[in-house]
Amino acid sequence: MRGYRYLPDVVTLEFDPDLCVGCGRCFDVCPHQVFVIKENKAWMVDRDACMECGACARNCPVKAITVDAGVGCATGLIGEWLNEIKPRRKGCS
Amino acid sequence: MSYIVPPGLYAVGQPTPDSPVIVTANYKMTYDLVRQALVRCDAWLLVLETYGINVWCAAGKGTFGTQEIVRRVVSSRLVELVNHRSLVLPILGAPGVAAHQVKSQCGFLIRYAANRAADLPEYLGNGMQTTPVMRALSFSLAERLVLIPVELVLELKAVTLIALAVLLGFSLAGSFADGLQAFSAYAGAFGCGIALTPVLLPWLSGRRFALKGALLGLLWTCCCYFLSGGGWPLLVTLAAVLVLPAVSAYHALNFTGCTPYTSRSGVRKELRNSLPVMAGAVGTGLLLLLISLFV
Ligand code: SF4
Ligand code: SF4
């Protein structure tokens, strides 16, 4: 995606080339062209562009890709953290 | 006005058993966009039950998903209507759909076509080839602008309460004019984060949203200082420099939920790093203001 780039070296995307059968689905579905297909194999060429949408992992027929998918929403994450803290507080009292 | 289209199979133009089957969500705006794009085409339109939510969000929730596709293919008796066995899907629906599972459960091959409905005619016309242009995601000024009102509405209640508290606090501590000035300063900082940051997004340096927001907030603080004719007490000036950029940074960071390129892990990291700084800045600023009352 031209002109936009987020933090490097943070995403949970993992790819195991040994499992890949080269079907090309990951290339088809990725909105950020993280994968390319060369010599009947997928290559992860731009890992930092990944937005963790989970499309590649869901569509890979051999589970060669894993990613902790979710929406990058600050309000949502703060809400989750607050929910995690609440029961802990109760447990302490 | 209803935002929901009843799910099911629709005909566009005069479809035959050879016509393509396009899959979409039952959010009215999405449905209308697809229909508009297909005005000159003959096609089947398979509308999924996504409860009036657009493709991208519904795919994230899983309602635009494998099970719903299989269910609709069966209930609409698609097998009896068409000769081929393929479904055309928007690329942005892929996070919810496992193509190989759809194939094994109902026999239909999924083709991910394009990101935008407007590219559908070209895709159907060129033998169902996705060109790099159809694949490229955009986040233009117009696309960013439409997101701002939604964010505004979400934040409005909390922000109004804070703004009134600011107005009241400064009016009581000084004069009503002070209150109005502080009120505008706060409202402006909020605007910098929630509206100006999205507008200027690609041109603001750095990758961190909080930094982009803080930068604009700082510029705004300078504007406030000079517009008001300057001459603020030192403690108040310090407090403004600490609090206003933090307010802007916080709202800028919230925009990550709307962009199509920020990863959850990235946002988590940025929040971890910046929340304590923002809270510290606001806390210190409030403390300075309190002290300024007594000196
Ligand atoms: S998770 Fe989404 S953005 Fe990341 S590589 Fe997979 S398809 Fe691309
Ligand atoms: S979807 Fe999986 S098997 Fe297919 S090319 Fe990508 S990694 Fe390889």
Side-chain angles (χ1 to χ4, degrees):
Chain A
M1 199 174 169
R2 283 178 57 191
Y4 296 98
R5 213 63 195 172
Y6 201 39
L7 309 186
D9 285 329
V10 285
V11 291
T12 51
L13 182 71
E14 298 295 340
F15 167 55
D16 184 348
D18 293 337
L19 293 176
C20 173
V21 293
C23 72
R25 275 298 182 187
C26 50
F27 170 73
D28 284 347
V29 299
C30 178
H32 292 287
Q33 289 81 51
V34 170
F35 293 94
V36 296
I37 308 295
K38 255 191 303 191
E39 294 149 9
N40 287 321
K41 274 259 188 236
W43 297 74
M44 188 161 66
V45 290
D46 195 3
R47 186 164 179 265
D48 284 342
C50 173
M51 66 178 294
E52 298 183 325
C53 71
C56 53
R58 164 104 17 148
N59 281 278
C60 175
V62 292
K63 297 194 170 68
I65 304 171
T66 57
V67 60
D68 180 13
V71 184
C73 171
T75 321
L77 282 171
I78 294 174
E80 275 175 31
W81 285 339
L82 289 178
N83 274 335
E84 273 172 31
I85 295 169
K86 260 187 226 149
R88 238 185 274 156
R89 269 200 200 135
K90 268 182 212 149
C92 292
S93 63
Chain B
M1 201 176 105
S2 172
Y3 296 100
I4 295 184
V5 180
L9 190 68
Y10 293 77
V12 184
Q14 306 281 326
T16 66
D18 294 318
S19 301
V21 180
I22 319 281
V23 182
T24 189
N26 77 337
Y27 175 46
K28 181 92 176 20
M29 224 158 91
T30 311
Y31 173 85
D32 288 344
L33 270 178
V34 175
R35 281 211 85 119
Q36 264 170 34
L38 295 173
V39 274
R40 274 176 244 290
C41 307
D42 297 315
W44 301 100
L45 200 54
L46 189 65
V47 177
L48 304 186
E49 172 69 283
T50 61
Y51 306 95
I53 293 174
N54 68 38
V55 171
W56 172 248
C57 296
K61 292 187 201 318
T63 46
F64 189 100
T66 312
Q67 289 320 312
E68 174 61 12
I69 292 178
V70 173
R71 206 178 305 137
R72 288 294 153 199
V73 163
V74 173
S75 69
S76 64
R77 304 215 187 146
L78 202 55
V79 189
E80 297 164 28
L81 281 168
V82 296
N83 295 331
H84 59 84
R85 292 290 174 264
S86 68
L87 303 171
V88 175
L89 263 72
I91 295 178
L92 289 178
V97 182
H100 52 287
Q101 284 169 10
V102 173
K103 173 90 179 153
S104 66
Q105 287 177 32
C106 69
F108 277 79
L109 175 79
I110 301 270
R111 295 171 185 275
Y112 293 109
N115 282 316
R116 282 167 300 266
D119 286 330
L120 273 173
E122 192 192 339
Y123 175 82
L124 297 177
N126 72 6
M128 298 201 179
Q129 292 297 315
T130 305
T131 64
V133 175
M134 298 179 196
R135 209 179 280 290
L137 209 55
S138 62
F139 200 36
S140 65
L141 182 59
E143 285 166 304
R144 299 196 299 277
L145 278 176
V146 297
L147 296 169
I148 296 173
V150 185
E151 290 288 286
L152 264 175
V153 169
L154 282 177
E155 300 287 326
L156 207 57
K157 210 169 121 196
V159 169
T160 310
L161 284 178
I162 298 176
L164 288 178
V166 169
L167 179 66
L168 200 71
F170 276 81
S171 299
L172 288 177
S175 63
F176 185 63
D178 290 339
L180 271 186
Q181 224 183 77
F183 175 87
S184 337
Y186 172 77
F190 168 65
C192 282
I194 204 153
L196 210 53
T197 306
V199 168
L200 301 177
L201 195 64
W203 303 293
L204 291 171
S205 69
R207 295 182 178 186
R208 292 165 186 271
F209 281 61
L211 270 186
K212 291 173 191 266
L215 186 74
L216 287 179
L218 201 60
L219 285 176
W220 169 244
T221 314
C222 298
C223 286
C224 285
Y225 185 82
F226 290 112
L227 284 177
S228 71
W232 297 351
L234 178 67
L235 286 178
V236 174
T237 314
L238 277 177
V241 168
L242 283 169
V243 174
L244 295 177
V247 167
S248 173
Y250 177 78
H251 292 291
L253 191 46
N254 255 332
F255 194 64
T256 51
C258 298
T259 69
Y261 72 99
T262 47
S263 64
R264 188 179 172 81
S265 300
V267 176
R268 192 177 277 144
K269 180 173 174 189
E270 198 183 345
L271 267 179
R272 276 227 178 92
N273 293 340
S274 62
L275 265 188
V277 179
M278 292 190 274
V282 172
T284 317
L286 290 181
L287 200 68
L288 290 177
L289 285 178
L290 211 64
I291 297 172
S292 75
L293 283 178
F294 300 101
V295 292

